[in-house]
Amino acid sequence: MPAGLTKAAIVQAALDLLDEAGMDGLTVRALASRLGVQAPALYWHVPGKQALLDEMATQIWRRIGDVMTGLPGDLPWREVMATYAATVRTELLGHRDGAKAFSGTTLTDPAVVRRQEVTFENLTHQGFALEDAVRGLVLLHDFTIGFCVEEQAVAQVTASGDDRYSPERRAELIGPDTAPLAVEAGRVIFGDPGTRFTQLTGLLLDTIARMRTDGS
């Protein structure tokens, strides 16, 4: 095993490579080349690409945990959950193909999982049964992952100069005189993603509120 080659260094190099080359360019061979080693040297720490993605995702969720455990213990539940969704989105969008890369991964550090205790304690103290608190967070988690997959895909196409997602082009193709409501809908569908995310998160929180003991 090459001196100085640590799991932390491998994970950071992999995150940097993901940002530069995306999921298609994130290979063990390319990562080894970046680190100046042969691919077998990486297998001391990560036996394959899925294990590498698991380690990368664990680092991302560690940062999410930093935010969540830093919240005040008496923060209202809506703000706790809204912060969770917003933080997940920020971290996923912070890396090229982040949502796609980290979907379906497994956390490798039990300490990251243990830190969730703080959030669960907060929510159960505010009227949620544990099962409902978990369901609410899973709902926000799954929504955010899917939202970010689509958001990143659209952003990459748009950044390439392709205007297929432009509301103006969509309106021209549909014909504003033929289907004016569909045209107007496009301005919502392809409007500012940050605004849309906040609005949709609010709708989900309204649904989650009904699972609390006092329904508020």
Side-chain angles (χ1 to χ4, degrees):
M1 180 173 61
L5 185 63
T6 64
K7 182 182 291 186
I10 292 170
V11 170
Q12 186 56 58
L15 289 169
D16 293 341
L17 180 59
L18 176 67
D19 291 342
E20 293 178 9
M23 271 293 284
D24 291 341
L26 179 64
T27 66
V28 174
R29 183 184 298 274
L31 180 58
S33 177
R34 185 184 189 92
L35 290 166
V37 299
Q38 297 297 314
L42 301 183
Y43 297 140
W44 285 90
H45 299 287
V46 286
K49 185 171 181 179
Q50 186 56 55
L52 176 63
L53 290 171
D54 289 344
E55 294 293 347
M56 294 164 66
T58 298
Q59 179 60 22
I60 297 302
W61 291 103
R62 187 175 289 115
R63 294 204 291 262
I64 293 170
D66 289 343
V67 174
M68 297 305 296
T69 56
L71 296 177
D74 58 352
L75 190 68
W77 74 266
R78 286 184 74 101
E79 294 183 45
V80 173
M81 288 194 169
T83 298
Y84 174 74
T87 303
V88 172
R89 177 172 176 259
T90 295
E91 289 296 334
L92 295 181
L93 296 184
H95 296 281
R96 180 176 173 182
D97 293 334
K100 187 186 301 183
F102 305 134
S103 296
T105 52
T106 301
L107 296 180
T108 62
D109 182 359
V112 175
V113 180
R114 293 188 194 106
R115 297 177 78 188
Q116 297 173 1
E117 192 79 4
V118 174
T119 300
F120 291 137
E121 287 179 350
N122 185 316
L123 296 175
T124 54
H125 288 162
Q126 295 193 57
F128 284 96
L130 176 60
E131 294 83 355
D132 290 334
V134 173
R135 292 187 186 101
L137 290 171
V138 169
L139 176 60
L140 290 169
H141 171 92
D142 291 351
F143 159 72
T144 303
I145 294 289
F147 188 96
C148 289
V149 167
E150 184 71 13
E151 182 178 1
Q152 289 187 307
V154 171
Q156 289 175 16
V157 169
T158 302
S160 72
D162 191 325
D163 68 346
R164 73 179 70 180
Y165 296 113
S166 163
E168 290 73 26
R169 179 181 177 185
R170 186 176 183 275
E172 183 179 344
L173 290 173
I174 295 174
D177 295 332
T178 303
L181 296 180
V183 168
E184 188 61 29
R187 303 190 186 283
V188 177
I189 297 170
F190 297 109
D192 175 65
T195 299
R196 189 166 69 253
F197 181 81
T198 299
Q199 292 171 339
L200 294 177
T201 299
L203 292 176
L204 293 179
L205 292 173
D206 289 344
T207 297
I208 293 170
R210 294 199 288 272
M211 295 190 287
R212 289 186 69 230
T213 53
D214 66 359
S216 63

